[in-house]
Amino acid sequence: KEHTAVKPHLDTLAAKPDDLAANLAVGKFHCLVLEDWALGLPQLVASTDTVYAGPAKLDLEAAGDPAKQLQAAEAWLQIVETDRSSDRDEKQALQRRAKLLLKTPAAVLTGLDQVKAQKRLDALKDVPPGRKVKTASSSGSSASTQAPAIAAAPAAEAQPPAGLFLGRATANGQDAG
């Protein structure tokens, strides 16, 4: 359903990669629906949206810096606390992102920043894990019956068609890659 709604924006980005509205719609889809933050964050930054671009920029700059991870997590949680129009699933996606960003600062930082990060983590302890995406293998057949068909696929068909989303594996609430 969400992909159908964002499809026109994907087409717009193919023709005009700097389209602000399309970057916002596609970035929100990648981050808040698919929870593919690596793909969606640059699009949110490119959107220059007043709500999402700033936190997305902080998030991109936070790699490896616990203090910046804390700032990025705070920015995502600020959206959750102030934006009453977002739906519950989007808010939970933002909370899961903040929770992921807060793990390192809570363990590494000292003083007030560590206390702040730990309190935020404690407040997010009841955030449910990410959505389960329905795939062909999850609708009625077990993964073991799917494996031989995948293994026997010809090399020419090894790449899925463009735009096909096969699924996501998670472990302990985090993307398993």
Side-chain angles (χ1 to χ4, degrees), residues 1 8 39 63 72 83 108-109 116 122 125 133 136 143 160 165-166 169:
K1 176 181 167 186
L39 186 57
D83 186 14
V108 174
L109 293 176
K116 184 189 290 186
D122 291 344
K125 72 180 185 308
V133 178
F165 180 70
L166 295 176

Side-chain angles (χ1 to χ4, degrees), residues 10 23-45 56 59-60 76 93-94 96-97 100 130-131 133 164-170 173-177:
L10 288 165
N23 270 300
L24 177 62
V26 173
K28 285 177 71 175
F29 173 73
H30 285 134
C31 290
L32 304 179
V33 175
L34 300 180
E35 295 192 43
D36 186 345
W37 294 87
L39 186 57
L41 287 173
Q43 293 165 328
L44 289 176
V45 171
D59 198 328
L60 284 172
W76 290 125
L94 291 169
R96 280 189 290 276
R97 181 60 179 180
L100 178 67
R131 298 185 208 181
V133 178
L164 179 65
F165 180 70
L166 295 176
R168 165 174 274 147
T170 59
Q174 295 181 353
D175 189 347

Side-chain angles (χ1 to χ4, degrees), residues 49-62:
D49 179 71
T50 58
V51 175
Y52 290 96
K57 186 174 185 207
L58 283 172
D59 198 328
L60 284 172
E61 294 170 350

Side-chain angles (χ1 to χ4, degrees), residues 9 12-13 18-27 46-47:
H9 297 292
T12 300
L13 280 183
D18 59 343
D19 186 277
L20 301 179
N23 270 300
L24 177 62
V26 173
S47 76

Side-chain angles (χ1 to χ4, degrees), residues 68-88:
K68 286 187 178 182
Q69 287 176 328
L70 177 59
Q71 285 181 318
E74 289 286 332
W76 290 125
L77 291 172
Q78 185 67 30
I79 293 173
V80 171
E81 293 165 1
T82 59
D83 186 14
R84 307 222 186 277
S85 64
S86 257
D87 74 357
R88 182 179 55 92

